[in-house]
Amino acid sequence: MEEIYAKFVSQKISKTRWRPVPPGSLQTAETFATGSWDNEENYVSLWSIGDFGNVDSDGGFEGEHQLLCDIKHHGDVMDLQFFDQERIVAASSTGCVTVFLHHPNNQTLSVSQQWTTAHYHTGPGSPSRSSAPCTGVVCDNPEIVTVGEDGRINLFRADHKEAVRTIDNADSSTLHAVTFLRTPEILTVNSIGQLKIWDFRKQGNEPSQILSLTGDRVPLHCVDRHPNQQHVVATGGQDGMLSIWDVRQGTMPVSLLKAHEAEMWEVHFHPSNPDHLFTCSEDGSLWHWDASTDAPEKSSLFNQGGRSSTFLSHSISNQANVHQSLISSWLSTDPAKDRIEITSLLPSRTLSVNSLDVLGPCLVCGTDAEAIYVTRQLFS
């Protein structure tokens, strides 16, 4: 069993993202980017995971994530996404959105493009234009969509100076995260527990659909769409609950799963193995959720004292009329299939785990304890 390797990097890590592997290539993930926050100077950095298993001076194993290059970033890095193999888009607490270009020949990063006032507050009580944090970004080459604390949605195109489309008062509350459902539809989550679907083909500032948790206005912090079934969406929020939604049906989540003890900062379906889902939290935990139905005897992912438990999901809607084989394991309502195994991936609780990313057999996460954790054998 390969361990999960820690590297201490002297900065609080707000975001971690694997560089995508070229389509059709057999490479595994080798390079990841990080963004920092709450430091005197913040950076966007590129790392190579290098060779694992070097013995450090204390005789313990240490992961050799090698720093390839970094560049100063003005403000906290609020979100980070690879645009393509060479370009990384960073969202700043200053409201600025920056595209950084990686030059592999001399291992440097440079600013390739910048929208300095993508997000800003206007109106009474604020200066003529005071900056508002850009909270989320999602890329689908050539398009970049950003959301912010100002309730604004921007659609940018690489190499265009101005926004292609802006929905100014998309939300009266803070937008926390955004994802593509299918181009040209996006889905946002906000600070009053709502999911909203927007269609860029439509004019006007109204969402095409609104879903929410009834009664509770619990802020939602993160969202991810199932890679193969675009109607299946997972969200996490301030109460640490994991919610699974089917945007075709009703306005409420299909399943509510009790999860972390504090805010859930990120949720990610595994891109090529979406019966597996990963979440991280302010409570210092990083969890692997296994909803695969083909494993009669599930072995726990990490057997290093991590807690492993089986939860019974609570299903809200009855979907017996939908053909079973078409239902994602996350929407299944057959009690025998509702068992979800949860494994804690970090050896011990730490400060907040702010971000994670998964690609193939590799996982990376970053924490407020100024550590980056990497494993290359998720499913072994």
Side-chain angles (χ1 to χ4, degrees), residues 86-101:
E86 282 80 41
R87 286 176 287 183
I88 311 165
V89 184
S92 173
S93 57
T94 65
C96 176
V97 176
T98 307
V99 182
F100 293 105
L101 178 64

Side-chain angles (χ1 to χ4, degrees), residues 53-321:
N54 298 334
V55 178
D56 65 18
S57 54
D58 300 328
F61 282 111
E62 186 183 16
E64 279 308 303
H65 331 335
Q66 301 287 348
L67 179 65
L68 296 176
C69 50
D70 58 16
I71 189 168
K72 276 187 192 169
H73 179 270
H74 186 47
D76 294 339
V77 177
M78 304 290 285
D79 202 1
L80 198 62
Q81 298 291 342
F82 273 91
F83 182 75
D84 55 21
Q85 296 286 307
E86 282 80 41
R87 286 176 287 183
I88 311 165
V89 184
S92 173
S93 57
T94 65
C96 176
V97 176
T98 307
V99 182
F100 293 105
L101 178 64
H102 177 223
H103 308 272
N105 51 350
N106 61 355
Q107 289 302 355
T108 56
L109 282 164
S110 65
V111 173
S112 143
Q113 198 169 358
Q114 208 161 39
W115 296 280
T116 49
T117 53
H119 293 275
Y120 54 89
H121 293 294
T122 54
S126 63
S128 55
R129 244 192 199 199
S130 65
S131 65
C134 176
T135 51
V137 58
V138 64
C139 304
D140 186 6
N141 195 339
E143 298 184 327
I144 299 167
V145 177
T146 70
V147 297
E149 216 172 81
D150 52 359
R152 185 176 277 107
I153 299 172
N154 292 307
L155 172 62
F156 295 109
R157 277 212 182 93
D159 309 323
H160 280 52
K161 278 200 170 73
E162 302 297 324
V164 179
R165 173 94 189 266
T166 294
I167 304 177
D168 261 328
N169 297 310
D171 212 300
S172 55
S173 55
T174 295
L175 290 170
H176 279 147
V178 59
T179 188
F180 275 104
L181 270 186
R182 48 194 165 266
T183 317
E185 284 184 315
I186 59 162
L187 187 145
T188 60
V189 295
N190 69 12
S191 58
I192 55 171
Q194 294 174 319
L195 283 74
K196 295 184 181 180
I197 297 174
W198 308 83
D199 187 338
F200 282 126
R201 290 166 299 194
K202 294 183 179 169
Q203 294 306 309
N205 288 7
E206 295 304 314
S208 54
Q209 196 179 339
I210 300 179
L211 302 93
S212 67
L213 282 164
T214 49
D216 302 339
R217 295 203 155 199
V218 177
L220 293 173
H221 290 301
C222 54
V223 59
D224 196 27
R225 188 206 76 201
H226 192 289
N228 311 332
Q229 295 176 306
Q230 296 171 327
H231 54 276
V232 179
V233 171
T235 63
Q238 189 167 302
D239 56 4
M241 297 279 281
L242 174 65
S243 303
I244 307 292
W245 309 71
D246 181 345
V247 300
R248 303 168 308 180
Q249 303 208 359
T251 58
M252 298 195 314
V254 175
S255 298
L256 281 173
L257 298 159
K258 186 162 170 37
H260 300 279
E261 293 163 20
E263 291 92 344
M264 184 189 294
W265 292 130
E266 285 195 8
V267 56
H268 290 281
F269 287 103
H270 191 284
S272 52
N273 203 348
D275 285 350
H276 298 264
L277 180 141
F278 299 83
T279 59
C280 63
S281 169
E282 177 71 28
D283 67 11
S285 60
L286 170 68
W287 284 7
H288 168 212
W289 305 66
D290 178 359
S292 57
T293 50
D294 53 354
E297 293 295 318
K298 290 180 184 161
S299 63
S300 127
L301 257 189
F302 289 96
N303 45 15
Q304 45 190 63
R307 57 171 264 182
S308 179
S309 55
T310 304
F311 276 41
L312 206 59
S313 78
H314 165 55
S315 244
I316 295 173
S317 71
N318 175 22
Q319 296 173 307
N321 57 344

